[in-house]
Amino acid sequence: MTHEGDRYVIGVDYGTLSGRALVVRVSDGAELGSAVLEYPHGVVDTVMPGSGRRLPPDWALQVPSDYVEVLRTAVPAAVEEARIDPAHVIGIATDFTACTMVPTTGDGTPLCDLDEFRDEPHAYVKLWKHHAAQGQADRITETARERGEAWLARYGGVISSEWEFAKGLQLLEEAPHVYAATEHWVEAADWIVWQLTGRYVRNACTAGYKGIRQDGAYPTREYLAALNPAFADFVDAKLDHEIGELGSAAGTLTAQAARWTGLPEGIAVAVGNVDAHVSAPAADAVAPGQMVAIMGTSTCHVMSSDVLAEVPGMCGVVDGGIVTGLYGYEAGQSGVGDIFGWFVANQVPAAYERAARAAGLGVHEHLTALAAEQPIGAHGLVALDWWSGNRSVLVDHDLSGLVIGLTLATRPEDVYRALLESTAFGARVIVETFAASGVPVTEFIVTGGLQKNALLMQVYADVLDMPLSVVTSSQGPALGSAIHAAVAAGAYEDVPAAAKAMGRREHAAYRPIPENVAAYDRLYAVYRELHDHLGRTSTAMRTLKAIRREAHA
């Protein structure tokens, strides 16, 4: 029920496949209406839009006009569903997948919108899961180690191919004409705020985690020149810009953006943020030790701490990276829901699809029900969750997936369950690595689309041997963005205060079952053996990736 005096905020969550707008009441975080737009161009990873030009392996692009279309379509639809007066909306905030990069002109025009670059892949948005810059990422890491760059330890000792510098160096070396035309190398999280406000403000979150900005500084010109002499001015010429702190206002809604969204011109627009990090306030989980896992196509793990430590393979630690006054840690798994989706799309016989329809279920639900009937370990399988490479703790996107133990008796539900379990094993590696580094995880909290799979959640509780809490909102990132919008609009003093009033979670929704824990410990020992051998010792997976690239070339 709404009242005349109620105030509202809008959170817009830009995911991998779609954008979602959510209308939230400021006083208590009640979610009143939402709408989703599937990106018209989706993920461009096989052929270029329009021309049909084929892309090489490991590419993942997007079309930035799709992001604006979310503002035009999903925001007004969410307001309409909420049945509120738009005049009572006081702020809007957005979050984005990261690291997702947009090469633009000086005024923010994406290069792919220019006629001369419409069929140039490097002129498009490089989505977070664009992994074709692994060679550049390896050189960035190796050069930093050789030079003793102090910032490398803040990223677990390895720089990812998903991040700003690797993708920027790939742009320079593979398309120097596009690099020369790029006046700003912009995180999509900041580009969409630029479209809303007319002001370009870099958010502190992506600058720290994805842009190697530590203690107020980026890598030096000397270091960049050691990578490539033409890369020396990358920071000064294309990256460095005003930094906005999380929860502050980047500006106000322009007249044009007001027409797109149907919202009042001049309302507060919060500084941009990352879909993972913005979810912690949605769970009211911003205290030290509370690890929030945002589980969708991939999983990102974020946690605040009052301790600064070097955690091997973490995606970064940033002062104020989640909330002011604490160190924000990030880790992640590059493939989770994507792995399950791949299996259903490519490996499930038609008979299973027919059986699912007959039972009134989707294929995922049907496989989950069949898998849930099995005793732990009955499938005789262990899988490695590296279909999209490994983000943490190995940070190597030349690694690939594996299922071991297959026989002629193996059924689709066996493999499906092994894939579910593999992602829980990967999460356990991350949790154990943090604990061993002096940053213990005291509560594991799940948000995102995969939390609706009860079997998967119980598997995680059993594998981790700790209670699993869940965010009661099914739209954690969008709610987190709405919380930041409320702070930017002045409704709350800071993000923790807003999170306490507007965020929510169900504590210990899933508890570990002792006999399950013991059974999974045995399987996890096999997983760790494979993880350490194929991830740290053997070059087999990397060799196969190299052969694949050569064959496509």
Side-chain angles (χ1 to χ4, degrees), residues 179-186 200 233-240:
Y179 182 85
T182 300
E183 295 183 68
H184 293 296
W185 187 233
V186 186
Y200 176 29
D233 67 346
F234 173 67
V235 168
D236 295 335
K238 304 183 187 296
L239 189 65
D240 195 15

Side-chain angles (χ1 to χ4, degrees), residues 15 40 187 192 235 264 269 473 510:
E187 282 277 0
I192 198 64
V235 168
V269 179
S473 169
Y510 298 87

